[in-house]
C-alpha cells in the first residue's frame, strides 16, 4: 500500500463499519494505488483526465453506486462515501469525475426523469458506456443559479435551447449533458446529447487546480430537442439543488481522503527529515500542526459517518450536508496548506502529492457552493433570517 494512502483511524471508527463497507473501501483503495497513483502526475501535468480508468471504475460499481435498480450497485451511503474518500485520497479530479457521473448526472435522471429515460440512460451510465455532465453554472451566474439566462422555449412538441454554461466538469467528454434552463414556469432540466446540432463544448485551459479533470463550457445555439429530452419531474430550482445535495455529500467524504494523504505525507516527511540535528517531528511547532491535522480529520470522519447514517435512515437535511461540505473541505484545505509548508522546498514539487491536493482543494472549496454560501445556508437555518434575499 502506498504509504500516503494508508488509513488514519484514531477513534477506531472502523469498528462501526460493516465488513461489506470495509471491503468496498479497501477495494477502491487498491484500485487507486495500482491504477491511479502511477499516472496521476502525468495527467495533472498534461491537463488530461484518465479516461482509460472508466471501464474499471464501472466494473467496481462506482457509478451510481448508491442508486437502487437500473443496473446500479445499490450500495448504502456509508459505502458510497468511502468510495469518494478513497478516490479523492488519490486525486480530487478523479472523485469529481465519479461525483458528476453519479450524484449529478445519473441522480438528475433518477430523481427527475421519466421511466423511459431512466431505463435508457442509467444502465449504460452505470457501465461507464455513457458519460454525463451537469450544466448549471453560467458565466454570469455561479452562486446564484436562480439568475440563469439559458432559455428553453416550446417549439411544437419539442424545445429550442439557447445559452452558455461554464465550468462544467466532464463537459467535452460527456455523451449527455444535463442542462438546466428557464422556461415560462421557472427552471427545468433537459438531456442534451453530444452531436445535437447547435450544441458544442470548449475546454477551459490554464487551470492551476483540478488539472487532471476536464472542465468545459457548453454552448447552446438554437438547439432543437424532442419532447423526450425534457426531464418531466424537474420543476423549479429544487431540481438541480436536490442533485447538489447528493454531490456535496460525496465531497464532504472526499475531502477527508485528500486531507489524509496530506497528513500521512507530512507525518512521514517530518519523522525522517532532520534539521538542527534531529527529526522535524520532534519540534513542538511541528507536533502542534500534526495534532491539529489529526484532530480535524478525525472530527470530519465522525461527521461523515453520522451524516451517512442519517442519509440511510432518510433523516439527512440539506443543511446537514452544507455543514459537512463547508467544514470538511475548509479543514482539508488548511491541512493541505500546512502540509505543504512542513515539506519546505519539497512541498512545491510533484515528487510529493501535497501541492497537487492543495491546489485541487481550492476548487473543491469553491464548487458545489462556496464556503461562504454554505455559511449563509447554515446561518439561515439557525436564525430564520435569509441573507440571500
Ligand atoms: P432557495 O429559495 O433556497 O431554494 C429554492 C428551492 O429549492 C429548495 N432547496 C433545496 N432542495 C434540495 N436540496 C437543497 N440543497 C436545496 N436547497 C434549496 C428549497 O426548499 C426551495 O424549494 P421550493 O419548493 O420552496 O421552491 O433558493 P435561492 O435562490 O435562495 O438559492 C439558495 C442557494 C444560494 C443556497 C443556492 O442557489 C445554492 O446552493 N447556490 C450555490 C450554487 C452551487 O452550489 N452550484 C454548484 C454547481 S454544480 C458544481 O459545482 C459541480 S462541481 C462537480 C464536481 O466536479 O464534483
Ligand atoms: P461567484 O458566485 O461569483 O462568487 C465569488 C465569490 O463571492 C465567492 O467567494 C463567493 O463565496 C462570494 N459570494 C457569492 N455570493 C455571496 C453572498 N451572497 N454573500 C457573500 N459572498 C458571496 N458548475 C456546474 O454547474 N457544473 C459543474 O460540473 C461544475 N464543475 C466545476 C469544476 C471546477 C474546476 C470549477 C472551478 C467550478 C465548477 N463549477 C461547476 C462551477 C462552480 O459551482 C462555481 O464556480 C461556484 O458555484 C461559484 O460560482 P462562481 O465561480 O461564479 O463564483
Amino acid at each position: 500500500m502506498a504509504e500516503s494512502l494508508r488509513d488514519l483511524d484514531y477513534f477506531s471508527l472502523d469498528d462501526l463499519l460493516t465488513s461489506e463497507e470495509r471491503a468496498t473501501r479497501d477495494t477502491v483503495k487498491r484500485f487507486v494505488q495500482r491504477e491511479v497513483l502511477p499516472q496521476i502526475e502525468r495527467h495533472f501535468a498534461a491537463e488530461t483526465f484518465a479516461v482509460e480508468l472508466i471501464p474499471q471504475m464501472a466494473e467496481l460499481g462506482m457509478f451510481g453506486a448508491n442508486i437502487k435498480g437500473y443496473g446500479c450497485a445499490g450500495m448504502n451511503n456509508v459505502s458510497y462515501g468511502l468510495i469518494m474518500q478513497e478516490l479523492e485520497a488519490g486525486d480530487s479530479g478523479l472523485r469529481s469525475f465519479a461525483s458528476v457521473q453519479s450524484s449529478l448526472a445519473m441522480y438528475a435522471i433518477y430523481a427527475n426523469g421519466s421511466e423511459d429515460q431512466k431505463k435508457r440512460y442509467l444502465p449504460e451510465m452505470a457501465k461507464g458506456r455513457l458519460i454525463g455532465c451537469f450544466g448549471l453554472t453560467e458565466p454570469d451566474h455561479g452562486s446564484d443559479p436562480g439568475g440563469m439566462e439559458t432559455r428553453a422555449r416550446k417549439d411544437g412538441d419539442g424545445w429550442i435551447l439557447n445559452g452558455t454554461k461554464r465550468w462544467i466538469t466532464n463537459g467535452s467528454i460527456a455523451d449527455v449533458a444535463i442542462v438546466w434552463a428557464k422556461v415560462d414556469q421557472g427552471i427545468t432540466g433537459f438531456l442534451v446529447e453530444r452531436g445535437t446540432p447547435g450544441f458544442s463544448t470548449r475546454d477551459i485551459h490554464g487551470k492551476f487546480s483540478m488539472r487532471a479533470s476536464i472542465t468545459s463550457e457548453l454552448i447552446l445555439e438554437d438547439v432543437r430537442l424532442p419532447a423526450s429530452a425534457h426531464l418531466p419531474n424537474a420543476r423549479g430550482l429544487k431540481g438541480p439543488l436536490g442533485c447538489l445535495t447528493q454531490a456535496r455529500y460525496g465531497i464532504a467524504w472526499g475531502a477527508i481522503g485528500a486531507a489524509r494523504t496530506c497528513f500521512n505525507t507530512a507525518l512521514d516527511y517530518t519523522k525522517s527529515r532532520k534539521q538542527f540535528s534531529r527529526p522535524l517531528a520532534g519540534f513542538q511547532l511541528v507536533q502542534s500542526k500534526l495534532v491539529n491535522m489529526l484532530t480535524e480529520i478525525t472530527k470530519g470522519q465522525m461527521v461523515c459517518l453520522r451524516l451517512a447514517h442519517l442519509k440511510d435512515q432518510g433523516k439527512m437535511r440539506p443543511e446537514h450536508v452544507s455543514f459537512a461540505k463547508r467544514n470538511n473541505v475548509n479543514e482539508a484545505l488548511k491541512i493541505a496548506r500546512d502540509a505543504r509548508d512542513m515539506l519546505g522546498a519539497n512541498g512545491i514539487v510533484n515528487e510529493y502529492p501535497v501541492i497537487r491536493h492543495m491546489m485541487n482543494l481550492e476548487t473543491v472549496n469553491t464548487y458545489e457552493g462556496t464556503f461562504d454560501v454554505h455559511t449563509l445556508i447554515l446561518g439561515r437555518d439557525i436564525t430564520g433570517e435569509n441573507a440571500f434575499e
Side-chain angles (χ1 to χ4, degrees):
M1 184 62 55
E3 281 304 293
S4 66
L5 286 188
R6 68 185 183 270
D7 284 332
L8 172 61
D9 188 16
Y10 206 66
F11 269 70
S12 303
L13 295 175
D14 246 33
D15 295 352
L16 304 178
L17 302 180
T18 64
S19 54
E20 207 176 344
E21 290 159 358
R22 280 197 294 268
T24 300
R25 180 198 57 201
D26 295 343
T27 302
V28 179
K29 195 192 288 288
R30 278 194 297 275
F31 162 77
V32 171
Q33 181 188 358
R34 284 184 201 150
E35 309 295 336
V36 179
L37 294 191
Q39 52 170 330
I40 191 63
E41 294 297 351
R42 178 169 55 79
H43 282 292
F44 196 84
E47 279 192 286
T48 49
F49 175 71
V51 285
E52 61 275 15
L53 297 177
I54 295 172
Q56 292 174 72
M57 294 171 81
E59 186 67 27
L60 293 173
M62 290 185 200
F63 301 143
N66 56 352
I67 292 179
K68 299 222 179 342
Y70 306 100
C72 300
M75 295 180 198
N76 70 9
N77 285 293
V78 176
S79 292
Y80 177 75
L82 289 166
I83 292 172
M84 296 295 139
Q85 175 184 283
E86 295 310 317
L87 290 178
E88 197 151 357
D91 190 79
S92 301
L94 189 71
R95 196 269 309 136
S96 257
F97 180 87
S99 283
V100 169
Q101 176 78 349
S102 305
S103 293
L104 293 180
M106 292 176 76
Y107 183 82
I109 297 168
Y110 179 74
N112 302 290
S114 66
E115 201 50 37
D116 279 353
Q117 289 167 336
K118 291 184 213 181
K119 285 185 181 147
R120 175 166 174 204
Y121 289 100
L122 295 180
E124 288 299 291
M125 294 175 87
K127 290 190 186 98
R129 291 193 200 133
L130 277 185
I131 301 306
C133 70
F134 184 88
L136 180 63
T137 305
E138 299 186 354
D140 295 327
H141 304 279
S143 296
D144 182 18
M148 71 175 66
E149 293 169 48
T150 299
R151 289 283 182 280
R153 67 178 163 81
K154 268 277 192 199
D155 176 51
D157 277 353
W159 299 86
I160 294 182
L161 265 64
N162 277 288
T164 305
K165 299 289 175 180
R166 189 165 164 81
W167 301 110
I168 307 307
T169 300
N170 300 350
S172 65
I173 55 171
D175 302 287
V176 58
I178 310 293
V179 173
W180 300 96
K182 265 191 186 153
V183 292
D184 291 344
Q185 299 78 17
I187 288 167
T188 190
F190 295 89
L191 294 157
V192 183
E193 293 192 357
R194 189 217 296 257
T196 307
F199 175 52
S200 59
T201 63
R202 189 164 45 212
D203 285 346
I204 298 171
H205 292 292
K207 292 178 296 172
F208 281 81
S209 174
M210 289 286 184
R211 289 178 59 87
S213 167
I214 303 295
T215 317
S216 318
E217 200 163 60
L218 310 183
I219 301 132
L220 301 125
E221 293 167 320
D222 288 330
V223 174
R224 224 170 259 276
L225 297 177
S228 59
H230 179 229
L231 293 170
N233 300 318
R235 295 184 201 98
L237 195 53
K238 68 182 169 197
L241 291 181
C243 304
L244 295 186
T245 295
Q246 306 303 313
R248 290 166 177 172
Y249 168 81
I251 290 172
W253 275 94
I256 292 171
R260 194 188 70 199
T261 295
C262 292
F263 169 82
N264 283 334
T265 308
L267 179 62
D268 293 346
Y269 187 87
T270 54
K271 280 166 80 173
S272 64
R273 169 87 176 164
K274 286 188 178 152
Q275 290 295 290
F276 304 98
S277 310
R278 59 190 172 102
L280 287 175
F283 293 101
Q284 291 171 346
L285 284 171
V286 172
Q287 290 187 2
S288 168
K289 285 177 188 156
L290 290 168
V291 169
N292 284 339
M293 291 173 168
L294 168 76
T295 306
E296 293 308 330
I297 291 170
T298 303
K299 282 154 70 176
Q301 289 169 333
M302 289 178 174
V303 166
C304 275
L305 199 52
R306 177 63 184 147
L307 191 66
H309 291 151
L310 288 174
K311 192 170 187 325
D312 279 333
Q313 293 162 16
K315 294 183 192 161
M316 183 187 85
R317 299 168 57 225
E319 289 79 6
H320 291 139
V321 181
S322 285
F323 180 108
K325 193 274 181 185
R326 174 183 181 274
N327 178 75
N328 289 9
V329 177
N330 188 50
E331 293 304 331
L333 182 54
K334 287 196 250 171
I335 287 166
R337 287 172 179 161
D338 268 349
R340 204 234 48 81
D341 166 69
M342 292 157 80
L343 266 64
N346 281 319
I348 71 154
V349 286
N350 66 4
E351 188 183 337
Y352 297 88
V354 170
I355 190 150
R356 176 168 49 79
H357 281 294
M358 188 194 90
M359 294 195 294
N360 283 341
L361 287 164
E362 292 288 348
T363 285
V364 185
N365 208 35
T366 286
Y367 70 26
E368 294 274 7
T370 65
F371 177 84
D372 284 336
V373 161
H374 288 295
T375 304
L376 298 180
I377 291 172
L378 290 166
R380 177 169 69 181
D381 195 41
I382 58 176
T383 67
E385 299 286 343
N386 188 353
F388 295 114
E389 285 175 349

